[in-house]
Amino acid sequence: MVRLGLDRIARLVDLPLVQWRAIHVAGTNGKGSICTYASALLQATSIRHGSFTSPHLIDRWDCIRLHGKTISEVSFHVIEKRVRQLAVERKVDASPFELLTATAFHAFSESAVELAVVEVGMGGRQDATNVLRDPLVTVISKIGLDHQAFLGNTLEEIAKEKAGIMKGGVPCIIDGTNAIEVMAVLEKVSKEIGVASLQVVDYNSAALPETARRLPNHQRANLACAITAVQTALERHGVKTELNKHIQALPNISVPGRLQEFSIENLTGRLEPVLLDGAHNRQSARVLADRVASLRNARCPITWLVAATKGKDLSDLFSPLIQPGDQVVTTRFGSVDGMLWIEAASRQELSKALPNFEVEHVDDVGDALELASTKAAGRPLVVAGSLYLVGEVHRLLRERSSIYHLS
């Protein structure tokens, strides 16, 4: 149930009482990485900080972090209950995402957060997070085609929705690798509303540390956006701190669910790591394809375990990834806590998108992972197609491991 608009969330968040400021991040791809890098950099300062990202990976509350740590399950449910009661008292028919956003914002206020990194859920202009009227800085990452039913069918239409987080008098950081037509829209909107400054950064940015050379270009651009955003936010917030040493360490940070190498030995006995990636549109699939290309050779096909969200253009998603000679196992992730409108693509839909491949399907994710691991026989194995699938694999790993770390 996706319901865009700001009226309902505004009645759940008492803006005059909000004392914390935000780094507000929108975009199609890369915004999660930008938020991860920005939060890590804030961790190196003395400033009290938080972050709100979506969707969650394993548990609903893991999208809210306070001072570098995931909010406790108990605290989350206490604050969420209070928000739900508020919605009843004020007769607000809020969507699940609006309730979650309000819970995060109340958590920040109650934990005396000074600066929060806030990721847009969908779009920007009408997204619940855009109830924030005075962020310290806004950031727009790489924009591509996704959620067209809600945001528009062209890059220009989608860019206009994302540009809705820009504010007059507030600096905006933009990923300069965006398409020409996207840049034109962003620059036009920024002039119309009087953005304080428009900083365009990319993978050649002077803000990048020498240690970033090993990162792929898209992640270098994300890192440049994050560094520039944090520096701008701290300057506007009146915080003076030396960040260079901490910036040097940022490229070592892994982003959960994005090009993540992980051991599944506890699940399948496989000794070699698997590659987990939540790529769910053509643009992010191309990034994953570049990474997988380094694993390929003539005698070493890729084994894929894939699932996808119902309604996605699956041919568009899988065509950059799965190549002749590859082995494919399809599966379906289960219901997503707090997002019951999300449904996994069916066996028939997945098979139809892969007409030239012999596909084996197993409904249960754990069993599907075992089959894919067996078929891979030590060769490269990639889990992809949906962040919800990646989250379910992580959940299984946590259940089977005495010691578990998300990254």
Side-chain angles (χ1 to χ4, degrees), residues 32 53-58 119 255-260 276-281 307-309 312 317 333 336 383-395:
T53 57
S54 61
H56 64 270
L57 191 61
I58 304 177
E119 179 183 0
V255 182
R258 272 85 172 185
L259 298 178
Q260 185 181 24
L276 303 177
D277 191 83
H280 59 280
N281 55 47
T309 302
K312 291 284 185 182
L317 171 61
F333 53 81
V336 182
V383 178
S386 171
L387 199 58
Y388 305 121
L389 171 61
V390 171
E392 193 151 331
V393 171
H394 271 288
R395 194 175 298 113

Side-chain angles (χ1 to χ4, degrees), residues 9 16 18-19 27 75 78 97 119-120 166 216 246 250 262 294 312 363 397:
I9 185 68
V18 173
Q19 300 297 311
S75 295
V78 166
F97 183 70
E119 179 183 0
V120 165
M166 292 182 180
H246 307 292
L250 284 178
F262 221 89
S294 66
K312 291 284 185 182
D363 268 342
L397 286 165

Side-chain angles (χ1 to χ4, degrees), residues 26 64 101 111 137 143 145 178 184 217 221 236 291 297 300 382 388:
I64 303 172
T101 301
S111 297
V137 62
I143 292 175
L145 295 175
N178 270 297
N217 285 347
R236 294 197 73 215
R291 172 68 179 86
N297 64 55
C300 192
V382 183
Y388 305 121

Side-chain angles (χ1 to χ4, degrees), residues 361-375:
H361 181 88
V362 180
D363 268 342
D364 181 81
V365 170
D367 291 343
L369 191 60
E370 286 202 36
L371 174 60
S373 182
T374 299
K375 291 175 73 68

Side-chain angles (χ1 to χ4, degrees), residues 322-339:
I322 304 173
Q323 304 298 314
D326 287 351
Q327 304 180 103
V328 185
V329 176
T330 60
T331 189
R332 302 189 73 211
F333 53 81
S335 60
V336 182
D337 188 17
M339 303 174 73

Side-chain angles (χ1 to χ4, degrees), residues 153-212:
N153 293 313
T154 67
L155 284 177
E156 291 91 340
E157 289 174 326
I158 294 173
K160 191 170 183 179
E161 289 297 316
K162 306 285 186 185
I165 71 165
M166 292 182 180
K167 304 291 185 295
V170 176
C172 181
I173 317 299
I174 293 177
D175 181 341
T177 67
N178 270 297
I180 294 174
E181 57 267 42
V182 168
M183 295 300 292
V185 171
L186 299 180
E187 290 169 3
K188 181 175 183 290
V189 173
S190 70
K191 290 176 182 176
E192 289 174 348
I193 67 173
V195 164
S197 63
L198 196 65
Q199 293 178 263
V200 179
V201 300
D202 62 20
Y203 50 82
N204 289 317
S205 171
L208 289 168
E210 185 68 22
T211 50

